[in-house]
Amino acid sequence: MTTALIDLKTTARNSDGLRIALAGELDFHTAGLVEPRLSDLVGSGHRNLDLDLSGLTFCDSAGIDLLLRVDRSCRVLGMKLQLHDVPPLVAKSIRVLGVDRELQLVVT
């Protein structure tokens, strides 16, 4: 049995939205575990979904694809997804793949 290498928790909630912290490895093996939870949050009726990625230690193309799918779901519902404190290697991967045009990375 494999232990999940990803953690997702709500760190802030207000009338405008949610701030969710992701920590660990977001990859082929863990993206499927996180996606249902993020989908529930997207459908929660908030205007904004802020993902704090400072705790990510690894993110592969499956993880980036998940972020794109969450972003698209947010847009369909009129929500705004922002990625906060993106680790440098993850930000570089996002830029190299050219999806920084779709995903909003926030530097704090």
Side-chain angles (χ1 to χ4, degrees), residues 48-102:
N48 300 310
L49 179 59
D50 297 335
L51 294 182
D52 176 351
L53 303 183
S54 63
L56 281 187
T57 56
F58 178 78
C59 183
D60 68 5
S61 60
I64 293 171
D65 184 58
L66 170 62
L67 296 174
L68 282 169
R69 288 194 309 275
V70 170
D71 181 63
R72 289 179 187 132
S73 295
C74 284
R75 290 175 195 239
V76 165
L77 296 174
M79 291 179 69
K80 183 174 167 183
L81 173 69
Q82 293 184 325
L83 306 179
H84 293 264
D85 300 321
V86 182
L89 287 176
V90 176
K92 182 178 180 180
S93 296
I94 288 171
R95 282 192 301 275
V96 167
L97 292 170
V99 297
D100 57 326
R101 290 179 224 105
E102 292 183 55

Side-chain angles (χ1 to χ4, degrees), residues 9-21 41 46 48-50 52:
K9 65 181 175 182
T10 302
T11 58
R13 179 186 311 252
N14 62 36
S15 60
D16 284 336
L18 298 169
R19 186 168 182 106
I20 307 298
L41 294 170
H46 290 88
N48 300 310
L49 179 59
D50 297 335
D52 176 351

Side-chain angles (χ1 to χ4, degrees), residues 26-40:
L26 184 57
D27 59 17
F28 175 79
H29 299 287
T30 61
L33 300 172
V34 173
E35 186 167 16
R37 294 170 69 193
L38 287 176
S39 294
D40 288 345

